């Protein structure tokens, strides 16, 4: 598993669906949606969970519509360990 | 103590600009006004730090004025007829964006490249708009070198009071002739935030100087606002000089240089027993409509004299509303009429030949 | 209480819970909010103007010069730049942005002044002002967006339209014999003693966006440090609408056709200075 984990939020009301970000994304995680926003543009959505937070999409975005997040290490929290599970079990976690 | 000097009109105007605390001049050489640029290039920076820049054209000059005026500084330019024509687009932008500044037109003979001799052919251009759209300049017409100097400070006062460009409309003769002039004391260059200027964003959002209002209702609103302002100017800023009009049978209307010659013609007339008075509009916009109507109500006739084919005469006719006959005498192409000639025309048109 | 159900045919060694990383502490890129209004722009999808506007705003915020800059908008698509850039701005007549910028800079020499102009504005109607502003070495930045066409008026031939390139006024392609050659005005101003930093960049790829931002930053730094002349940045850009292409195709076309004619890179850098 990669140690760097990224994510993006697209302001779909600003997005005009120009697809420059889909082309710039090295992970191919972006795609044009099937829906339109209030201005009638087919906006862009993230379809894969493989974002590295490289910011390429945001850099080429003419609308400044993309915010990029990135976290290195420790972003995964271990809550329980299992060994040799063969049957259905239900785990209850207290938090 | 009075500071009296013998100066050329153009130089007196330039000197007055320095003393009025003018911050910047942007101009381009053209006869017969180049002395303004020359004088300022020589004197301004070393005395007050005033910016003087010879631009690459009148078009560039007026747009430099637009930029600098948007900061709230006291800014001016000067030119002569063909150069003023080139500036008209920029002046229209300045009028719409409501930027205060001083423009000077040392009028020469036209149309076209014309001649470098004095003329008044730019009256229409100056007072009726000149560029595109509905706008007005405040237009001051000096008739002496003293007024060339005095009107500079007055122009800046009016320009900032109304956020409107002010034009000093003079001519090649006044620009070139030398007269005694009393100079005012040096004023300090001051700079304050006027609340609308672009001097770098302060508190709040960025300020914008623009003449672009794409939505028709907005553009109409701007126009209504401008027209209201022009109305206020018409109500408050009329300046006019009248001489011996009280008992006058005939009245001569003339502005600028010609008014002086008409004063002489009126004297000659009175020597001959013809009672003649002279009205000299000092502000061409706002035009002294009421004053002319009032002063001429008992007159038998009005002779309007100009160094053009008859431009201000239209405003004189509108002012008297047909109640007094208005005749016109004009010389063109840079020719200045003589007092005798004017008197002769007055007699010819109203009395029927030389008495 | 969270309940997780595990399927028996799967073999887990470790179960992990993923938290959303979209929190303010994890932001690595966000559009500027202080120098850029939070509003959609009127530009066509894929237009380079939006990127350049954003880069300007980023530089203003990062250099903390929002209160120092005064911009001049041109006539053209970016005539309303002041609706997006939250700084003091003046809107100039067609072609006269650099004269307006000169006027501002001369009376406020301590402020950082720039003009933002398109190819029609800067290299056709405003050629005289451009050349003379650069020749006088006004301490301003001229930011020149070159997309080889008149965008706002609907795709007419521009001074920078490539030979053979179609526009509404060169419907059969630009014939250089009757319509003249494209004007490489950036090469021209680089020859003038008044310019101190002349560069040609683009914003179609992440790497170019970074370089353009760097160039804008440098230009303002030069101006901030007293400025020894005019900084001139050309950004070769696209016009999907008037080139009648998709944004992606327009960038590809730009790369294949515009960039060989208008090669990217520095044309002039200040000598005896860093960088």
């Amino acid at each position: 598993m990669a140690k760097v984990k990224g994510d993006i939020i697209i302001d779909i009301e600003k997005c005009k669906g120009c697809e420059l970000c889909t082309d710039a994304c090295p992970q191919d995680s972006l795609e044009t949606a099937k829906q339109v926003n209030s201005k009638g543009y087919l906006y862009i959505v993230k379809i894969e969970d493989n974002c590295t937070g490289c910011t390429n999409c945001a850099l080429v975005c003419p609308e400044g519509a993309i915010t990029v997040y990135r976290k290195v290490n420790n972003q995964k929290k271990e809550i329980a360990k299992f060994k040799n599970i063969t049957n259905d079990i239900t785990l209850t976690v207290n938090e | 103590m009075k500071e009296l000097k013998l100066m050329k009109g153009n130089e007196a105007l330039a000197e007055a600009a320095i003393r009025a605390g003018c911050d910047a001049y942007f101009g381009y050489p053209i006869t017969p006004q180049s002395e303004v640029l020359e004088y300022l290039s020589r004197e301004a920076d070393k005395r007050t730090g005033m910016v003087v820049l010879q631009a690459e054209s009148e078009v560039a000059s007026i747009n430099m004025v637009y930029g600098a005026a948007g900061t709230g500084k006291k800014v001016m330019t000067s030119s002569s007829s063909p150069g003023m024509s080139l500036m008209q687009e920029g002046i229209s932008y300045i009028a719409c964006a409501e930027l205060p500044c001083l423009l000077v037109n040392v009028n020469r003979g036209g149309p076209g490249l014309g001649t470098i001799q004095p003329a008044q052919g730019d009256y229409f251009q100056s007072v009726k708009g000149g560029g595109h759209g509905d706008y007005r300049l405040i237009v001051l017409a000096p008739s002496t070198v003293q007024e060339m100097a005095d009107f500079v400070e007055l122009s800046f006062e009016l320009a900032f009071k109304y956020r409107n460009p002010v034009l000093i409309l003079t001519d090649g003769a006044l620009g070139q002739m030398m007269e005694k002039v009393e100079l005012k004391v040096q004023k300090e260059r001051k700079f304050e935030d006027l609340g609308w200027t672009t001097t770098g964003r302060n508190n709040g959002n960025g300020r914008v100087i623009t003449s672009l209002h794409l939505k028709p209702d907005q553009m109409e609103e701007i126009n209504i606002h401008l027209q209201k302002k022009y109305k206020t100017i018409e109500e408050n800023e009329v300046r006019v000089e009248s001489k011996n009009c009280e008992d006058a049978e005939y009245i001569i209307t003339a502005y600028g240089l010609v008014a002086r010659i008409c004063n002489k013609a009126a004297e000659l007339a009175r020597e001959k027993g013809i009672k003649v008075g002279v009205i000299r509009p000092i502000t061409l916009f706002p035009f002294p409509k009421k004053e002319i109507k009032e002063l001429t109500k008992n007159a038998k006739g009005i002779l309007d004299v100009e160094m053009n084919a008859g431009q201000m005469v239209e405003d004189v006719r509108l002012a008297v509303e047909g109640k007094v006959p208005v005749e016109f005498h004009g010389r063109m192409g840079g020719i200045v009429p003589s007092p005798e000639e004017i008197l002769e025309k007055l007699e010819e048109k109203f009395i029927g030949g030389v008495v | 209480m969270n309940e997780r159900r595990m399927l028996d045919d799967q073999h887990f060694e470790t179960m992990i819970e993923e938290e959303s990383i979209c929190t303010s502490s994890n932001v690595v890129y966000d559009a500027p909010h202080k120098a850029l209004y939070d509003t959609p722009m009127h530009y066509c999808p894929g237009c380079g103007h939006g990127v350049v506007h954003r880069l300007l705003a980023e530089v203003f915020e990062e250099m903390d010069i929002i209160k120092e800059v005064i911009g001049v908008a041109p006539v053209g698509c970016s005539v309303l730049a002041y609706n997006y850039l939250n700084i003091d701005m003046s809107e100039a007549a067609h072609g006269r942005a650099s004269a307006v910028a000169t006027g501002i800079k001369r009376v406020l020499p301590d402020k950082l002044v720039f003009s933002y102009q398109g190819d029609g504005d800067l290299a056709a109607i405003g050629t005289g002002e451009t050349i003379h502003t650069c020749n006088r070495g006004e301490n301003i930045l001229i930011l020149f967006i070159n997309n080889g066409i008149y965008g706002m008026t609907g795709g007419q031939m521009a001074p920078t339209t490539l030979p053979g390139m179609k526009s509404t006024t060169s419907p059969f392609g630009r014939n250089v014999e009757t319509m003249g050659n494209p004007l490489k005005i950036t090469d021209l101003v680089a020859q003038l003693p008044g310019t101190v930093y002349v560069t040609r960049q683009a914003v179609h790829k992440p790497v170019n966006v970074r370089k353009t931002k760097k160039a804008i930053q440098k230009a303002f730094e030069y101006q901030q440090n007293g400025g020894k002349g005019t900084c001139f940045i050309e950004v070769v850009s696209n016009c999907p609408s008037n080139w009648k292409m998709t944004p992606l195709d327009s960038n590809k076309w730009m790369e294949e056709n515009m960039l060989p004619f208008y090669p990217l890179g520095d044309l002039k850098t200040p000598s005896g200075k860093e960088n």
Side-chain angles (χ1 to χ4, degrees):
Chain A
M1 275 230 171
K3 284 186 179 167
V4 178
K5 175 80 181 150
D7 203 352
I8 60 166
I9 291 178
I10 302 173
D11 183 342
I12 60 166
E13 279 307 312
K14 278 188 189 163
C15 177
K16 291 174 186 157
C18 71
E19 298 184 324
L20 297 189
C21 56
T22 58
D23 192 56
C25 177
Q27 302 288 96
D28 290 328
S29 20
L30 303 171
E31 197 180 86
T32 305
K34 303 280 186 288
Q35 292 96 351
V36 293
N37 63 16
S38 71
K39 292 212 162 57
Y41 288 114
L42 290 163
Y43 54 87
I44 304 293
V45 287
K46 184 165 141 276
I47 49 152
E48 298 288 343
D49 192 22
N50 54 2
C51 176
T52 61
C54 73
T55 73
N56 277 4
C57 55
L59 285 175
V60 297
C61 176
E63 313 305 324
I66 305 177
T67 309
V68 186
Y69 303 84
R70 184 164 60 210
K71 199 169 182 191
V72 185
N73 303 324
N74 299 332
Q75 83 272 34
K76 285 163 189 173
K77 188 170 156 191
E78 189 176 281
I79 54 167
K81 273 193 174 163
F82 299 88
K83 290 242 161 136
N84 303 324
I85 298 162
T86 50
N87 299 314
D88 283 10
I89 62 156
T90 303
L91 171 72
T92 306
V93 182
N94 290 311
E95 272 191 276
Chain B
M1 212 178 71
K2 280 185 185 179
E3 191 179 347
L4 288 170
K5 257 187 166 178
L6 184 67
M7 292 184 99
K8 264 190 176 189
N10 285 337
E11 295 188 339
L13 182 133
E15 176 64 32
I18 299 172
R19 292 183 184 227
C22 181
D23 294 299
Y25 171 95
F26 303 95
Y28 186 78
I30 182 171
T31 309
Q33 69 77 49
S34 298
E35 292 83 2
V36 181
L37 173 58
E38 288 170 346
Y39 189 91
L40 289 173
S41 301
R42 212 161 55 224
E43 295 287 329
D45 178 51
K46 67 177 182 196
R47 281 171 44 192
T48 63
M50 173 182 170
V51 172
V52 182
L53 180 59
Q54 179 174 335
E56 62 270 30
S57 67
E58 287 90 350
V59 175
S61 322
I62 194 68
N63 284 286
M64 289 171 184
V65 168
Y66 175 92
T71 69
K73 298 264 185 178
K74 279 185 183 167
V75 190
M76 68 178 288
T77 185
S78 64
S79 190
S80 179
S81 310
M84 291 310 290
S85 295
L86 279 171
M87 290 188 186
Q88 293 303 320
E89 184 202 27
I91 295 173
S92 171
Y93 278 59
I94 288 170
C96 186
E98 295 190 90
L99 304 180
C101 63
L102 167 60
L103 318 166
V104 181
N105 180 3
V106 186
N107 199 329
R108 62 188 241 183
L113 194 50
T115 168
I116 57 171
Q117 310 300 325
Q120 296 183 325
D122 300 351
Y123 178 90
F124 283 156
Q125 185 196 57
S126 308
V127 307
K128 307 287 181 188
H132 57 285
D134 283 313
Y135 73 89
R136 300 284 192 163
L137 307 176
I138 296 171
V139 185
L140 295 167
S143 76
T144 60
V145 171
Q146 183 67 54
E147 283 186 342
M148 290 275 282
D150 291 346
F151 286 180
V152 172
E153 202 180 331
L154 174 63
S155 295
F156 279 123
E157 272 172 35
L158 293 172
F160 279 86
K161 184 173 174 189
Y162 295 101
R163 276 188 66 184
N164 205 69
V166 177
L167 172 73
I168 293 181
L169 178 62
T170 178
D171 65 61
L174 281 165
Q176 297 295 324
M177 70 162 68
M178 290 184 93
E179 280 187 311
K180 190 173 65 180
V181 55
E182 184 189 339
L183 295 165
K184 294 190 176 157
V185 291
Q186 177 67 49
K187 272 192 147 182
E188 240 180 276
R189 283 176 55 209
K190 267 190 283 182
F191 184 44
E192 51 186 328
D193 186 356
L194 301 168
W196 53 266
T197 50
T198 50
T199 53
R201 187 176 140 189
N202 269 308
N203 306 319
N205 288 332
R207 292 172 182 165
V208 177
I209 302 284
T210 187
S211 62
L212 177 75
H213 308 279
L214 284 169
K215 293 189 177 128
D217 51 342
Q218 267 178 22
M219 193 68 241
E220 188 180 44
E221 215 172 282
I222 297 282
N223 269 288
I224 291 168
H225 164 73
L226 289 176
Q227 292 305 319
K228 237 167 120 180
K229 179 172 83 174
Y230 302 146
K231 191 93 194 145
T232 312
I233 293 170
E234 284 189 286
E235 279 160 13
N236 298 311
E237 303 301 342
V238 168
R239 284 165 174 78
V240 61
E241 183 189 80
S242 62
K243 269 193 184 154
N244 305 321
C245 291
E246 298 74 23
D247 65 339
E249 293 168 287
Y250 303 100
I251 286 178
I252 303 176
T253 52
Y255 75 92
L257 177 80
V258 184
R260 296 170 66 157
I261 304 163
C262 292
N263 282 339
K264 184 69 189 169
E267 269 177 40
L268 295 178
R270 286 200 178 247
E271 281 169 18
K272 285 177 100 176
I274 312 167
K275 289 176 184 165
V276 175
V278 177
I279 300 176
R280 171 172 79 96
I282 294 170
T283 49
L284 301 182
F285 182 86
F287 193 72
K289 289 182 228 170
K290 278 185 226 154
E291 291 74 6
I292 289 180
K293 193 181 170 190
E294 181 61 29
L295 287 163
T296 59
K297 64 182 179 202
N298 299 321
K300 289 185 197 161
I302 299 171
L303 178 68
D304 180 81
V305 186
E306 299 174 62
M307 292 193 293
N308 57 37
Q311 299 192 16
M312 185 176 82
V313 66
E314 292 187 1
D315 288 329
V316 174
R317 287 197 173 113
L318 283 170
V320 299
E321 295 170 338
K323 290 187 175 132
V324 188
V326 180
E327 293 286 346
F328 172 75
H329 176 62
R331 296 300 300 263
M332 292 165 285
I335 292 183
V336 181
S338 69
E340 293 77 14
E341 172 188 338
I342 292 166
L343 178 56
E344 195 186 307
K345 289 290 166 188
L346 183 114
E347 290 174 319
E348 186 185 299
K349 287 175 196 276
F350 289 110
I351 304 163
V354 180
V355 181
Chain C
M1 298 280 267
N2 290 331
E3 290 206 345
R4 303 283 156 109
R5 228 182 140 70
M6 298 288 146
L7 298 173
D8 75 332
D9 57 346
Q10 291 201 0
H11 203 84
F12 287 86
E13 281 218 333
T14 304
M15 182 185 166
I16 52 168
E17 181 181 79
E18 291 199 29
E19 295 168 334
S20 168
I21 64 162
C22 297
T23 60
S24 57
S25 58
N26 291 336
V27 171
V28 285
Y29 183 84
D30 194 13
H33 295 295
K34 281 188 249 162
L36 200 65
Y37 286 107
D38 187 21
T39 180
M41 300 190 215
H42 73 275
Y43 301 114
C44 304
C47 173
H49 275 310
V51 179
V52 182
H53 284 16
R54 201 188 71 226
L55 294 182
L56 278 168
E58 284 177 18
V59 171
F60 298 156
E61 290 188 9
E62 284 162 26
M63 289 178 70
D64 195 19
I65 52 172
I66 291 174
K67 294 185 174 183
E68 309 304 318
V69 286
I70 303 171
V72 182
V75 169
C77 288
S78 48
V79 65
L80 292 170
Y82 50 77
N83 282 353
Y84 312 122
L85 291 169
N86 189 354
I87 53 166
D88 277 8
M89 285 195 85
S90 202
E91 202 291 306
H94 198 22
R96 319 297 167 215
S98 64
V100 173
T102 298
I104 297 170
K105 184 71 181 183
R106 287 291 179 121
V107 294
L108 296 174
D110 296 335
K111 296 292 171 181
L112 304 172
V113 181
F114 72 97
S115 72
Y116 187 107
Q117 302 177 254
D119 40 82
D121 189 85
L122 177 141
I125 192 168
T127 313
E129 282 77 6
T130 304
I131 302 275
H132 282 280
T133 302
C134 290
N135 197 47
R136 282 192 305 268
E138 298 293 340
N139 294 325
I140 61 166
L141 162 65
I142 298 177
L143 193 46
F144 166 39
I145 313 296
N146 176 12
N147 60 6
I149 206 151
Y150 282 81
M152 189 177 72
T153 45
Q156 294 80 13
M157 184 178 70
T160 48
T161 299
L162 297 178
M165 186 174 165
K166 285 182 183 171
S167 71
T168 59
T169 50
S170 58
F172 312 108
R174 182 177 191 152
N175 177 354
V176 296
E177 281 176 21
T178 56
M179 301 166 181
N181 281 285
L183 182 61
K184 291 185 182 180
I185 196 153
T186 306
D187 298 63
L188 215 151
V189 299
Q191 306 303 313
L192 303 173
T195 51
V196 63
Y197 175 50
V198 181
T199 187
R200 188 184 284 122
Q201 302 293 339
V203 290
H204 63 305
K205 285 184 170 174
V207 59
N208 300 101
V209 174
R210 287 198 177 91
K211 283 185 182 168
T212 301
K213 181 175 171 182
K214 188 85 200 149
I216 293 172
Q217 192 181 328
K218 265 195 233 171
F220 281 109
E221 278 166 8
Y222 293 142
Q223 198 178 152
Q224 209 169 25
N225 299 331
K228 300 275 185 290
T230 312
C231 294
F232 191 100
I233 302 174
E234 173 180 348
V235 178
V236 182
S237 192
N238 60 347
C239 183
S241 294
N242 288 307
W243 291 1
K244 307 191 193 323
M245 295 176 198
T246 66
L248 286 174
D249 287 347
S250 74
N251 276 345
K252 192 159 169 273
W253 191 91
M254 184 187 95
E255 230 176 351
E256 287 167 2
N257 299 278
M258 296 277 281
L259 298 190
F261 196 87
Y262 302 111
L264 304 183
D266 290 344
L267 285 85
K268 192 179 194 177
T269 52
S271 49
K273 280 199 166 187
E274 80 278 22
N275 297 316

